[in-house]
Amino acid sequence: MTAANDRIALDEWRNRALAVEKEISRVVIGQQRVVRLLIIAIFARGHVLLEGDVGVGKTTLLRAAARAIGGPYQRMEGSIDLMPSDLLYHAAIGADGRPRIENGPVLQKGPELAIFFFNEINRARPQVHALLLRLMAERSVTAFNKEFAFPYLQVFADRNRLEKEETFELPAAARDRFFMEITVETPIDREVRRELVFNSRFHDVDALIAGVSAELIDFHQLDAAAELIQATVRTSPTLETYLLSLWEAIRYPGAAGIELDGIDTDRLVNGGASPRGMSYLVRAARVRAWLEGRDVVVPEDLREVFVEVVAHRIFLDLIYEMRRERIIRDLCRAVFDKIPTP
């Protein structure tokens, strides 16, 4: 009876998840895959780093998601002079001339905070990254000699990939805390571009977000839904063997017989693709299978989320880092071609 009840609950949650996906796709057009990946991250309860040019809809995407799931949303702008304390509190002189301490963006919404968006994270100093890492890893921070917990929190950030002056790139440990790195590109479809430029509906972001159906799901229950998905969606021994083969090939491409033009694959990868990263891959694949209406993971589920979950956890030899984006893409494609799909 319990198994039957679980299936009914998962079907209900899937309908809600697909409704959220549909609502977001109405306001962020031409980004179907990005929206699907975001839904996967939400139901896998993982933090996300968004990458992309300015003005492609990253903030609109997150605001729409926050409205659809009904959770309080806060945003912080990264800057070189930002201090960790700025996330937690503001100090000011009140009208009475006395100092006042007010809650910063992390603390303003209290334990109900559901989505925290850090804009241009690489403009902030490493000290700020350290606080954000604590928030992501433990869903808690310490301030005023007291610990504040955020049980429903997901952190989303974006990175300015164009400018290099006055920026601080994220260390490996910080990037590994992000469940996914999702690239948001300008849509290539000509009609979608026409809509975005000429349809005035997309010119007023506040009105656009206000048109999103609110509170389609209860964010308080997302953790329980995520646990049920992970406990119910199965992986077969054959698929597990396939994943382990992918893992070995991506970590030791030379030994796996991977060949890339102009690259010594024996020295290409310095580290990464950790056990945590591969467990995140399984977690994402299970959510993807569930959204597709299956209770078992198939190879397509792994491949569909592989780059977004694993690529930023692969650390290359320094001589290849400058060409990282293209090399990682080619490496993943070569691994998929090399390892037979069951």
Side-chain angles (χ1 to χ4, degrees):
M1 192 66 180
T2 301
N5 290 339
D6 287 348
R7 282 196 296 272
I8 293 171
L10 284 177
D11 287 344
E12 292 175 351
W13 271 108
R14 183 185 303 108
N15 291 336
R16 296 177 199 172
L18 295 176
V20 171
E21 182 178 39
K22 183 177 179 180
E23 279 297 296
I24 297 174
S25 296
R26 285 199 311 107
V27 300
V28 185
I29 62 173
Q31 302 286 3
Q32 289 85 354
R33 185 169 187 273
V34 169
V35 174
R36 170 53 65 95
L37 290 169
L38 184 67
I39 296 297
I40 290 173
I42 288 172
F43 280 88
R45 309 308 292 142
H47 310 296
V48 175
L49 180 65
L50 297 176
E51 298 213 316
D53 296 337
V54 175
V56 294
K58 298 186 295 296
T59 304
T60 303
L61 173 67
L62 294 182
R63 288 182 63 189
R67 182 171 173 83
I69 69 173
Y73 164 94
Q74 286 285 63
R75 174 176 172 171
M76 189 77 186
E77 298 291 332
S79 66
I80 192 172
D81 58 350
L82 189 71
M83 299 299 292
S85 58
D86 295 329
L87 277 69
L88 303 176
Y89 62 84
H90 301 298
I93 302 298
D96 57 1
R98 305 176 72 176
R100 296 176 55 186
I101 301 294
E102 297 179 350
N103 287 339
V106 170
L107 300 181
Q108 276 180 8
K109 304 293 186 181
E112 291 288 287
L113 182 61
I115 292 181
F116 183 73
F117 177 34
F118 200 110
N119 192 38
E120 295 197 333
I121 188 173
N122 57 329
R123 286 199 179 278
R125 294 176 179 273
Q127 298 94 318
V128 178
H129 297 163
L131 177 62
L132 195 65
L133 236 92
R134 159 81 189 273
L135 186 63
M136 293 165 63
E138 302 177 19
R139 287 182 174 178
S140 67
V141 294
T142 301
F144 315 118
N145 295 319
K146 180 181 176 182
E147 186 166 303
F148 295 84
F150 307 93
Y152 313 113
L153 178 66
Q154 276 186 283
V155 173
F156 296 88
D158 76 352
R159 186 162 68 101
N160 185 324
R161 66 181 185 182
L162 299 178
E163 300 176 53
K164 298 301 179 184
E165 293 184 6
E166 297 187 340
T167 61
F168 302 86
E169 287 305 320
L170 295 175
R175 294 188 71 175
D176 190 61
R177 289 294 177 185
F178 285 101
F179 183 77
M180 283 186 180
E181 285 193 8
I182 302 174
T183 300
V184 185
E185 301 283 5
T186 301
I188 60 174
D189 185 272
R190 191 177 181 87
E191 288 307 310
V192 171
R193 291 187 175 203
R194 188 192 304 275
E195 279 285 297
L196 291 171
V197 173
F198 293 104
N199 189 335
S200 59
R201 183 171 83 91
F202 298 102
H203 300 171
D204 186 340
V205 175
D206 289 338
L208 195 64
I209 298 300
V212 175
S213 297
E215 302 182 17
L216 292 171
I217 57 180
D218 182 356
F219 70 95
H220 298 97
Q221 299 177 14
L222 278 171
D223 279 357
E227 290 177 9
L228 185 57
I229 293 167
Q230 297 301 315
T232 304
V233 179
R234 297 173 291 107
T235 56
S236 67
T238 301
L239 182 115
E240 291 169 8
T241 299
Y242 177 60
L243 183 142
L244 293 174
S245 298
L246 291 176
W247 185 8
E248 188 173 354
I250 206 77
R251 180 62 183 87
Y252 304 105
I258 304 295
E259 297 182 358
L260 300 174
D261 289 342
I263 293 173
D264 181 357
T265 54
D266 285 320
R267 62 175 298 188
L268 174 62
V269 177
N270 271 348
S274 64
R276 177 167 59 192
M278 301 312 288
S279 70
Y280 283 175
L281 175 62
V282 174
R283 192 171 183 87
R286 283 179 172 146
V287 178
R288 202 260 178 184
W290 167 71
L291 288 171
E292 294 291 323
R294 286 181 274 101
D295 64 357
V296 62
V297 178
V298 299
E300 182 186 356
D301 297 318
L302 292 174
R303 295 161 70 104
E304 186 63 23
V305 297
F306 190 90
V307 172
E308 284 76 17
V309 176
V310 176
H312 63 285
R313 297 184 165 88
I314 302 170
F315 306 110
L316 305 183
D317 189 282
L318 287 177
I319 65 171
Y320 298 116
E321 273 294 337
M322 293 298 291
R323 295 181 287 154
R324 174 183 180 83
E325 187 173 336
R326 183 183 64 81
I327 290 175
I328 289 292
R329 184 178 62 246
D330 291 346
L331 175 61
C332 290
R333 186 182 300 115
V335 167
F336 289 150
D337 290 343
K338 187 71 175 179
I339 304 302
T341 304

